[in-house]
Amino acid sequence: MRLTDIKKDWARNKSVYFLAIPIVLYFIIWSYIPMVGIVLGFEDYSPRGGVLGSEFVGIKNFTDFFSSYYFGRLLRNTIILSVSSMIINFPAPIILALLLNELENKMFKKVVQTISYMPYFVSVVVICGIIIDFFAYDGAFTELFVRIGLIKEAKDLLSVKSAFRPIFVFSSTWQGVGYGSIIYLAALSGVDQELYEAAKIDGAGRWKQMLHITLPSISPTIIIMLILLVGNLLNVAMEKVILLYRPVTYETADVISSFVYRRGIQEGDYGYSTAVGLFNSIVNLLLLLLTNYISRKYSETSLF
Amino acid sequence: MKIKDSPSRIVFKVINTILMCLLAFACIIPLWHVLMASFSNPTLITQHSGLIFWPLSGPGRSATLGGYKIVLKTASLARGYANTIFYVGVGTILCVSFCSIAAYCISRRRTLWMKYLLLIIMLTMFFNGGLIPTYMVNKYLTLVNKRWVMIIMGLMPVFFIIIIRTAFMQLPASLEESAQLDGAGHMTILIKIILPLSKATIAVIALFYAVAKWNEYLFAVIYLTNRKLYPLQVLLREILVESSGNLDFNIANEVGGGGEDYKKLLQYTTIIYATLPILAVYPFVQKYFVTGVMIGSIKG
């Protein structure tokens, strides 16, 4: 890059650069300065010293966290919730898309699709309100479970430790499965129909066609979605957790992000909670890079 | 050439159809339950357990619009509504404007530095400071407990910028070049030429943002403690999740005695009251969301 190039570029494009100033400022202030703010995680924060003047304590916050009673519980809850969400909520939209794709009545397909997207647009507060209502002492699901003998007597299921995870995971399936299927339906509509004709001539049945044509055709979409999901593995939907958990279910429900919120925002323990949050972000980043690497190596599909 | 279905294919089709009907039923019934309960007799609701398929009424205990009457007269909910409309309205306009400007900047091909802006923006997708450092920045800027923090947080989602940029890049470069020769500045090019040609994408982005903003509660819970600034969703949380008595429902004024029974009914009516705008526009706009997912997926 020569100086004359820079001058020429400036002369021609300076008005675009002026246009970009607010954008750059926004990202510096609300994305990059917080990244620098991670130093908080290495400080014993005191309101008087502030971010710059508080005592530097090295990795004490981290070692405190790793050796605390919470570490095991939070890591276990976070991993169990996210992995079980993934095992159930990742394939569900793919299966739904495949089933929808088999419907021959276009009108019926359209109606089912439209209805199944709907829960996605209802706010998480309302969803949780409905969950609380349905699983309450006199709720619809509690009553159903008593009737089919799943539980012995009616009780408020959200105060039951072992009930939190299934309620959390399956309510997310319910809310997201329809909307999640859109992207796969789009991929399915792009599959070359001639492949199916050729397979039929070769005598492949419906099941074989699905295994050998449909799934390979949409696999790039599936892999991209999987990478994105794994990169967010530790980001359990905190907004839903803090609506549904209660002190009696912290044992199974409290996750890293909800802990950061409680310790940081509600209790003002900024240094410690920044360290915990940083641990979360780093693990996420590593997981994203790792899956992307594995995927690029074995399937030639990758994010970057 | 229609080939007759094999028996196993017929069985599959029947089972598949039943499954899909069940799914549709499962997706709509909780919302239907809430809608029907919101018209039901308050005393009967407290005695009822299980799904409500039709407004509950009985001899001397009629179905009622009473819940709605109370909700509509509740000052804090009205203020919450106004706040939400402000956050959604102003937020959508500013989000679309700033995302478009950002997308315009990074879609300029013949510049030396804009590729670095793209990098600056993209990097924030993979790593961020996290909740607490971001909170501290807003605290230092004295934005905590201010209306504008709700607009600033999430103003420029990277994903939106990338989608708009993709739309801009698909326009022929000759368009702007000829405009530039005619002496048009960048703002003019953006507003008069590029935006009108990308209005489908912009509309989808605006819609995505508006719905997300209407439904969002977390930023408010983190940054606002002043009740006067609360959006609807935070008030909903108090009513539905915390079951706290903070809200100024004027039950006694409306129905005289027996106010306790109304607590449950009011939960249902408030849900409908707060979700109505979404449900009302949903049938008309859902196809745009489908388009939105498709645009997003092309970029992947």
Side-chain angles (χ1 to χ4, degrees), chain B residues 271-299:
Chain B
I271 290 181
I272 298 298
Y273 177 70
T275 314
L276 203 63
I278 300 275
L279 295 179
V281 298
Y282 174 73
F284 307 102
V285 300
Q286 58 98 4
K287 65 168 184 282
Y288 295 104
F289 283 99
V290 177
T291 333
V293 174
M294 309 267 191
I295 303 172
S297 68
I298 293 164
K299 175 65 198 140

Short mmCIF file of all heavy atoms in Angstrom, two decimals, chain B residues 271-299:
data_model
loop_
_atom_site.label_atom_id
_atom_site.label_comp_id
_atom_site.label_asym_id
_atom_site.label_seq_id
_atom_site.Cartn_x
_atom_site.Cartn_y
_atom_site.Cartn_z
N ILE B 271 -51.88 -11.95 29.51
CA ILE B 271 -51.13 -12.62 28.44
C ILE B 271 -51.71 -12.22 27.09
O ILE B 271 -51.00 -11.80 26.17
CB ILE B 271 -51.18 -14.16 28.59
CG1 ILE B 271 -50.36 -14.61 29.78
CG2 ILE B 271 -50.67 -14.83 27.31
CD1 ILE B 271 -50.32 -16.12 29.97
N ILE B 272 -53.03 -12.34 26.97
CA ILE B 272 -53.67 -12.03 25.68
C ILE B 272 -53.48 -10.55 25.35
O ILE B 272 -53.11 -10.19 24.22
CB ILE B 272 -55.18 -12.38 25.73
CG1 ILE B 272 -55.37 -13.87 25.98
CG2 ILE B 272 -55.88 -11.96 24.44
CD1 ILE B 272 -54.81 -14.77 24.90
N TYR B 273 -53.67 -9.71 26.34
CA TYR B 273 -53.53 -8.27 26.16
C TYR B 273 -52.15 -7.91 25.63
O TYR B 273 -51.98 -7.11 24.72
CB TYR B 273 -53.78 -7.62 27.53
CG TYR B 273 -53.62 -6.12 27.62
CD1 TYR B 273 -54.51 -5.26 27.00
CD2 TYR B 273 -52.59 -5.57 28.41
CE1 TYR B 273 -54.38 -3.89 27.14
CE2 TYR B 273 -52.46 -4.20 28.55
CZ TYR B 273 -53.36 -3.37 27.91
OH TYR B 273 -53.23 -2.01 28.05
N ALA B 274 -51.12 -8.58 26.16
CA ALA B 274 -49.75 -8.24 25.77
C ALA B 274 -49.32 -8.93 24.49
O ALA B 274 -48.37 -8.51 23.84
CB ALA B 274 -48.79 -8.60 26.90
N THR B 275 -49.97 -10.02 24.14
CA THR B 275 -49.54 -10.80 22.98
C THR B 275 -50.40 -10.50 21.76
O THR B 275 -50.07 -10.88 20.64
CB THR B 275 -49.59 -12.31 23.31
OG1 THR B 275 -48.99 -12.50 24.59
CG2 THR B 275 -48.81 -13.13 22.32
N LEU B 276 -51.52 -9.81 21.99
CA LEU B 276 -52.46 -9.56 20.91
C LEU B 276 -51.82 -8.97 19.65
O LEU B 276 -52.08 -9.45 18.54
CB LEU B 276 -53.61 -8.67 21.41
CG LEU B 276 -54.88 -8.79 20.57
CD1 LEU B 276 -55.44 -10.20 20.64
CD2 LEU B 276 -55.94 -7.80 21.05
N PRO B 277 -50.97 -7.94 19.79
CA PRO B 277 -50.39 -7.37 18.56
C PRO B 277 -49.62 -8.41 17.74
O PRO B 277 -49.71 -8.43 16.52
CB PRO B 277 -49.44 -6.30 19.08
CG PRO B 277 -49.95 -5.95 20.42
CD PRO B 277 -50.56 -7.19 20.98
N ILE B 278 -48.90 -9.30 18.43
CA ILE B 278 -48.14 -10.32 17.72
C ILE B 278 -49.10 -11.29 17.03
O ILE B 278 -48.97 -11.59 15.85
CB ILE B 278 -47.26 -11.12 18.72
CG1 ILE B 278 -46.28 -10.20 19.43
CG2 ILE B 278 -46.55 -12.27 18.03
CD1 ILE B 278 -45.02 -9.94 18.70
N LEU B 279 -50.11 -11.77 17.79
CA LEU B 279 -51.04 -12.73 17.22
C LEU B 279 -51.84 -12.11 16.08
O LEU B 279 -52.18 -12.78 15.10
CB LEU B 279 -51.99 -13.26 18.31
CG LEU B 279 -51.32 -14.07 19.41
CD1 LEU B 279 -52.35 -14.52 20.44
CD2 LEU B 279 -50.58 -15.27 18.85
N ALA B 280 -52.14 -10.82 16.20
CA ALA B 280 -52.96 -10.16 15.18
C ALA B 280 -52.21 -10.02 13.85
O ALA B 280 -52.79 -10.19 12.79
CB ALA B 280 -53.42 -8.79 15.67
N VAL B 281 -50.92 -9.71 13.92
CA VAL B 281 -50.20 -9.53 12.66
C VAL B 281 -49.58 -10.83 12.16
O VAL B 281 -49.22 -10.94 10.99
CB VAL B 281 -49.09 -8.46 12.76
CG1 VAL B 281 -49.68 -7.09 13.08
CG2 VAL B 281 -48.03 -8.84 13.75
N TYR B 282 -49.51 -11.83 13.04
CA TYR B 282 -48.81 -13.07 12.69
C TYR B 282 -49.26 -13.70 11.36
O TYR B 282 -48.42 -14.00 10.51
CB TYR B 282 -48.93 -14.09 13.83
CG TYR B 282 -48.37 -15.43 13.48
CD1 TYR B 282 -47.00 -15.61 13.38
CD2 TYR B 282 -49.20 -16.50 13.19
CE1 TYR B 282 -46.48 -16.83 13.02
CE2 TYR B 282 -48.68 -17.72 12.83
CZ TYR B 282 -47.31 -17.88 12.74
OH TYR B 282 -46.81 -19.09 12.38
N PRO B 283 -50.57 -13.88 11.14
CA PRO B 283 -50.98 -14.55 9.90
C PRO B 283 -50.50 -13.81 8.64
O PRO B 283 -50.23 -14.42 7.62
CB PRO B 283 -52.51 -14.54 9.97
CG PRO B 283 -52.84 -14.33 11.40
CD PRO B 283 -51.72 -13.52 11.97
N PHE B 284 -50.40 -12.47 8.75
CA PHE B 284 -50.04 -11.69 7.57
C PHE B 284 -48.54 -11.62 7.34
O PHE B 284 -48.09 -11.46 6.21
CB PHE B 284 -50.61 -10.27 7.70
CG PHE B 284 -52.08 -10.26 7.99
CD1 PHE B 284 -52.54 -10.01 9.27
CD2 PHE B 284 -53.00 -10.56 7.00
CE1 PHE B 284 -53.89 -10.04 9.56
CE2 PHE B 284 -54.35 -10.59 7.27
CZ PHE B 284 -54.81 -10.33 8.56
N VAL B 285 -47.79 -11.71 8.41
CA VAL B 285 -46.35 -11.51 8.24
C VAL B 285 -45.53 -12.79 8.31
O VAL B 285 -44.35 -12.78 8.03
CB VAL B 285 -45.78 -10.50 9.28
CG1 VAL B 285 -46.47 -9.17 9.14
CG2 VAL B 285 -45.92 -11.05 10.68
N GLN B 286 -46.18 -13.92 8.66
CA GLN B 286 -45.36 -15.12 8.87
C GLN B 286 -44.59 -15.52 7.62
O GLN B 286 -43.48 -16.03 7.71
CB GLN B 286 -46.18 -16.27 9.45
CG GLN B 286 -47.37 -16.72 8.66
CD GLN B 286 -47.08 -17.94 7.82
OE1 GLN B 286 -46.01 -18.49 7.86
NE2 GLN B 286 -48.06 -18.32 7.03
N LYS B 287 -45.14 -15.23 6.43
CA LYS B 287 -44.41 -15.62 5.22
C LYS B 287 -43.11 -14.83 5.07
O LYS B 287 -42.14 -15.32 4.50
CB LYS B 287 -45.28 -15.52 3.99
CG LYS B 287 -45.76 -14.14 3.61
CD LYS B 287 -46.38 -14.21 2.20
CE LYS B 287 -46.81 -12.86 1.69
NZ LYS B 287 -48.09 -12.41 2.27
N TYR B 288 -43.09 -13.61 5.61
CA TYR B 288 -41.85 -12.84 5.55
C TYR B 288 -40.76 -13.43 6.44
O TYR B 288 -39.59 -13.34 6.15
CB TYR B 288 -42.08 -11.38 5.93
CG TYR B 288 -42.97 -10.67 4.96
CD1 TYR B 288 -44.29 -10.39 5.26
CD2 TYR B 288 -42.49 -10.30 3.70
CE1 TYR B 288 -45.12 -9.77 4.35
CE2 TYR B 288 -43.30 -9.68 2.78
CZ TYR B 288 -44.62 -9.41 3.11
OH TYR B 288 -45.43 -8.81 2.21
N PHE B 289 -41.21 -14.03 7.56
CA PHE B 289 -40.22 -14.67 8.42
C PHE B 289 -39.60 -15.86 7.73
O PHE B 289 -38.41 -16.11 7.84
CB PHE B 289 -40.86 -15.10 9.74
CG PHE B 289 -41.08 -13.96 10.66
CD1 PHE B 289 -42.30 -13.36 10.78
CD2 PHE B 289 -40.01 -13.46 11.39
CE1 PHE B 289 -42.48 -12.28 11.61
CE2 PHE B 289 -40.19 -12.38 12.22
CZ PHE B 289 -41.43 -11.79 12.33
N VAL B 290 -40.44 -16.57 6.98
CA VAL B 290 -39.92 -17.70 6.22
C VAL B 290 -38.87 -17.18 5.22
O VAL B 290 -37.76 -17.70 5.13
CB VAL B 290 -41.06 -18.43 5.50
CG1 VAL B 290 -40.52 -19.55 4.64
CG2 VAL B 290 -42.05 -18.98 6.51
N THR B 291 -39.22 -16.08 4.51
CA THR B 291 -38.24 -15.48 3.59
C THR B 291 -36.98 -15.10 4.33
O THR B 291 -35.87 -15.31 3.84
CB THR B 291 -38.81 -14.18 2.97
OG1 THR B 291 -40.22 -14.27 2.95
CG2 THR B 291 -38.27 -13.95 1.59
N GLY B 292 -37.16 -14.55 5.54
CA GLY B 292 -36.01 -14.10 6.32
C GLY B 292 -35.05 -15.22 6.63
O GLY B 292 -33.84 -15.08 6.46
N VAL B 293 -35.62 -16.36 7.03
CA VAL B 293 -34.76 -17.51 7.33
C VAL B 293 -34.01 -17.95 6.08
O VAL B 293 -32.83 -18.30 6.12
CB VAL B 293 -35.59 -18.68 7.90
CG1 VAL B 293 -34.74 -19.91 8.07
CG2 VAL B 293 -36.20 -18.28 9.22
N MET B 294 -34.71 -17.89 4.94
CA MET B 294 -34.07 -18.30 3.68
C MET B 294 -32.91 -17.38 3.34
O MET B 294 -31.83 -17.84 2.98
CB MET B 294 -35.08 -18.24 2.53
CG MET B 294 -36.36 -18.95 2.82
SD MET B 294 -36.33 -20.63 2.25
CE MET B 294 -38.03 -21.06 2.43
N ILE B 295 -33.14 -16.06 3.43
CA ILE B 295 -32.06 -15.12 3.14
C ILE B 295 -30.87 -15.41 4.03
O ILE B 295 -29.73 -15.47 3.60
CB ILE B 295 -32.49 -13.65 3.35
CG1 ILE B 295 -33.71 -13.30 2.52
CG2 ILE B 295 -31.35 -12.71 2.99
CD1 ILE B 295 -34.29 -11.94 2.85
N GLY B 296 -31.19 -15.61 5.32
CA GLY B 296 -30.13 -15.88 6.28
C GLY B 296 -29.37 -17.15 5.95
O GLY B 296 -28.16 -17.21 6.10
N SER B 297 -30.09 -18.15 5.44
CA SER B 297 -29.46 -19.44 5.22
C SER B 297 -28.56 -19.43 4.00
O SER B 297 -27.59 -20.16 3.92
CB SER B 297 -30.51 -20.53 5.08
OG SER B 297 -31.24 -20.34 3.90
N ILE B 298 -28.88 -18.56 3.02
CA ILE B 298 -28.03 -18.49 1.83
C ILE B 298 -26.63 -18.05 2.24
O ILE B 298 -25.62 -18.59 1.82
CB ILE B 298 -28.61 -17.50 0.81
CG1 ILE B 298 -29.92 -18.06 0.26
CG2 ILE B 298 -27.64 -17.27 -0.34
CD1 ILE B 298 -30.77 -17.06 -0.45
N LYS B 299 -26.64 -17.06 3.16
CA LYS B 299 -25.35 -16.60 3.65
C LYS B 299 -24.72 -17.67 4.55
O LYS B 299 -23.53 -17.91 4.55
CB LYS B 299 -25.56 -15.28 4.41
CG LYS B 299 -24.35 -14.72 5.10
CD LYS B 299 -23.27 -14.32 4.09
CE LYS B 299 -21.94 -14.20 4.82
NZ LYS B 299 -20.82 -14.70 4.09
#
